[in-house]
Amino acid sequence: MSKDEIIILDCILSPFCMRVKIALNEKGVSYESKEEDLFGWKGGKSELLLKSNPIHKKVPVLLHNGNPLNESSNIVTYIDETWPSSSPLLPSSPYERARARFWIDYIDKKVFETGGKIWRSNGDEQEAAKKEFIEILKQLEEALGDNDFFGGERFGIVDVIAIPFSCWFYAFEKVGGFKVEEHCPKLSNWEKRCLLKESVGSVIPSPDMVYGFVSSMRNKLGLE
Amino acid sequence: MAKDEDVKLVGSWTSPFVMRPRIALNIKSVHYDFIQETFGSKSPLLLQSNPVHKKIPVLIHAGKPIAESSIIVEYIDEFWSSAPSILPSDPYDRALARFWASVVDQKFFTPMKASMGAEGEAKKGLMNQAVEAIGLLEEAFGTLSRGKAFFGGDHIGFVDIAFGSFLGWIRVAEISNGMKLIDAAKTPGLDGWAQRFSAHDAVKDVLPDTAKLLEFSKLLAAKLKEKH
């Protein structure tokens, strides 16, 4: 049986890249990661990235035997469909799948952008972003309900999509002056539960590392 | 198994996003109750079935609500799984279809919609972005159709539905702005495709009448300008 060649065009701090790595880990599929220079500190984005994702020019890109795939949620779905027998990530019923896709879409539209507004601003703008962010997390906590995971009893696709943001929460909290745990205790417990999984813990960088990056960006933007 | 009478779609004849599940349901020969919203207000049914976004379309199947047009189309394809299929079967082809459907929404629709509430140079810039996106879709049509009638091949597929649902509005924009977005010279692939798509049995009764949509567009443009 020929071996699959799987390469991720990656960025260690990108929650979107983390999703792809977690999904591959869940499936027990090995891959090679190539770190991209997104900010041009060491020569800029690679030729391979620009060729594989010419429209968006973004990470992650998954190259499966040379065939490129873009958009992290799309890639995670592809991984689930390509290796269907190990650890299914999507639920089996059409309605539950639609529900999972709804929350993936919600998370994609709201979480990172609003979190970004917190650290990219100060004063009133930051306050407004912080309030919006907390509302978004409360919405997600409601969707989680009393389940261990968004996937119910088992870690599923919505968990894969959402958990990478947890390492960014500390940065949002420090800059915005709030604590996720105080507003959304169930969500905090869910985070801890997910981070215990080897497939997750081995991929997610420390919150301090993310905060270091955010802090230096705020300096560059003249916000600190 | 739920009966067809248990299928309701909350929407409006003007919305391209609502058109998507209507086409999908037609492809699957599923009868549904079309519950139209009044422009400018949101019904209790809509607010109750889509409390998070409060937007159309919402499919309510056997009492269970499903929101977001592309998600509804995938649900229709999976629940009524007999042929014809809307998404391809191969995972890579499916990923490509989903990718191009999102290009339609992000690169074409977003600037197109913004241009309706804009004027002068700003409007021109946004229209140019929409035109560029159509250029990308012309190329994509060449690749994905593999010489056949639709993005989905012999049958209407996910990308056909995603982009084709905008044809009514594309015609309105062409008339309002005195220009062509899809034409035989610059986008020959899409030009032929648009005609075939519009004439398709699953589409022709749900594609809005251009004159009526043009009238509605004036109401909508006024409302969008109010917000700026």
Side-chain angles (χ1 to χ4, degrees):
Chain A
M1 191 176 81
S2 64
K3 198 168 185 289
D4 279 314
E5 184 200 55
I6 294 157
I7 298 172
I8 299 175
L9 301 184
D10 195 6
C11 173
I12 195 170
L13 293 179
S14 160
F16 304 99
C17 295
M18 289 172 216
R19 294 166 168 183
V20 176
K21 290 179 278 192
I22 293 168
L24 288 167
N25 287 348
E26 280 287 303
K27 298 292 183 177
V29 172
S30 54
Y31 57 89
E32 187 197 332
S33 150
K34 291 191 173 174
E35 187 76 9
E36 285 285 330
D37 171 27
L38 298 179
F39 298 97
W41 295 332
K42 284 178 256 168
K45 294 174 181 175
S46 71
E47 276 305 306
L48 184 59
L49 174 58
L50 298 174
K51 196 182 77 170
S52 316
N53 191 358
I55 294 177
H56 301 301
K57 304 180 177 59
K58 285 182 176 178
V59 291
V61 175
L62 185 79
L63 291 151
H64 187 193
N65 297 326
N67 295 316
L69 292 115
N70 311 318
E71 306 279 278
S72 61
S73 299
N74 215 1
I75 298 173
V76 170
T77 301
Y78 171 81
I79 290 168
D80 197 37
E81 290 178 356
T82 303
W83 289 278
S85 48
S86 36
S87 298
L89 295 174
L90 264 166
S92 45
S93 88
Y95 181 71
E96 289 303 320
R97 289 157 83 92
R99 214 177 147 265
R101 288 176 182 133
F102 176 86
W103 289 111
I104 292 170
D105 178 70
Y106 179 85
I107 290 164
D108 277 350
K109 280 177 174 141
K110 305 265 189 184
V111 177
F112 203 55
E113 193 182 303
T114 311
K117 282 186 201 166
I118 298 175
W119 66 262
R120 286 196 162 101
S121 66
N122 280 331
D124 286 342
E125 219 184 302
Q126 189 181 81
E127 251 328 281
K130 187 178 99 184
K131 286 199 169 93
E132 201 188 330
F133 187 74
I134 290 167
E135 279 314 304
I136 290 165
L137 291 191
K138 283 188 172 157
Q139 185 73 253
L140 288 175
E141 198 178 51
E142 205 185 301
L144 178 66
D146 290 318
N147 295 315
D148 278 353
F149 300 104
F150 284 96
E153 284 166 32
R154 286 181 56 246
F155 186 76
I157 196 168
V158 181
D159 303 283
V160 173
I161 295 300
I163 192 58
F165 295 117
S166 64
C167 63
W168 280 76
F169 285 173
Y170 176 64
F172 301 153
E173 286 170 335
K174 266 209 94 145
V175 170
F178 68 104
K179 283 211 164 265
V180 170
E181 192 158 20
E182 276 167 21
H183 297 276
C184 303
K186 280 187 187 170
L187 206 62
S188 283
N189 287 335
W190 160 82
E191 279 180 69
K192 291 173 188 139
R193 212 172 285 130
C194 291
L195 289 166
L196 288 173
K197 289 175 68 64
E198 172 65 24
S199 59
V200 177
S202 58
V203 160
I204 309 251
S206 77
D208 282 321
M209 193 177 171
V210 176
Y211 179 62
F213 167 78
V214 165
S215 204
S216 75
M217 287 300 282
R218 277 177 64 81
N219 268 314
K220 285 196 168 82
L221 293 168
L223 293 164
E224 248 162 47
Chain B
M1 193 177 81
K3 296 173 292 185
D4 283 359
E5 296 97 86
D6 287 344
V7 183
K8 296 176 168 60
L9 184 70
V10 182
S12 152
W13 66 274
T14 60
S15 162
F17 298 100
V18 173
M19 251 189 85
R20 293 170 174 179
R22 293 180 78 191
I23 296 169
L25 289 164
N26 285 349
I27 287 171
K28 303 287 185 175
S29 304
V30 173
H31 295 289
Y32 61 96
D33 197 5
F34 188 39
I35 302 171
Q36 296 220 49
E37 290 286 301
T38 312
F39 178 62
S41 70
K42 293 177 198 259
S43 70
L45 179 63
L46 174 60
L47 297 175
Q48 187 200 60
S49 56
N50 190 2
V52 175
H53 298 304
K54 305 178 176 61
K55 283 182 175 176
I56 52 174
V58 185
L59 185 79
I60 306 174
H61 185 204
K64 292 190 202 165
I66 298 135
E68 295 298 306
S69 63
S70 295
I71 293 172
I72 298 171
V73 172
E74 284 213 48
Y75 172 82
I76 290 166
D77 199 32
E78 287 177 359
F79 188 87
W80 288 279
S81 54
S82 57
S85 287
I86 294 171
L87 271 159
S89 49
D90 172 72
Y92 191 73
D93 289 336
R94 290 160 73 85
L96 276 181
R98 289 176 180 129
F99 173 75
W100 282 104
S102 77
V103 168
V104 169
D105 284 351
Q106 290 168 25
K107 299 286 184 182
F108 169 73
F109 174 68
T110 300
M112 193 75 222
K113 182 177 180 186
S115 78
M116 285 193 71
E119 274 157 7
E121 281 309 303
K123 187 183 178 99
K124 233 175 143 200
L126 290 161
M127 296 279 318
N128 281 337
Q129 283 181 44
V131 168
E132 259 182 63
I134 289 179
L136 290 173
L137 289 162
E138 171 75 11
E139 261 183 68
F141 178 72
T143 315
L144 296 175
S145 65
R146 291 168 188 155
K148 305 230 167 122
F150 301 105
F151 284 90
D154 286 321
H155 301 288
I156 284 183
F158 198 66
V159 183
D160 298 281
I161 294 174
F163 188 45
S165 56
F166 287 111
L167 283 172
W169 280 100
I170 286 173
R171 286 184 190 136
V172 164
E174 289 176 337
I175 295 168
S176 304
N177 297 290
M179 43 98 80
K180 293 290 264 169
L181 288 164
I182 294 178
D183 76 16
K186 292 197 184 136
T187 56
L190 288 179
D191 189 58
W193 165 83
Q195 288 172 56
R196 289 188 296 273
F197 183 83
S198 306
H200 192 282
D201 281 338
V203 176
K204 61 187 203 280
D205 295 331
V206 299
L207 195 60
D209 172 74
T210 307
K212 283 192 187 150
L213 198 61
L214 187 60
E215 274 314 297
F216 174 77
S217 75
K218 292 169 187 166
L219 270 175
L220 184 61
K223 195 171 190 228
L224 289 172
K225 282 191 173 117
E226 255 175 57
K227 288 183 175 172
H228 285 253

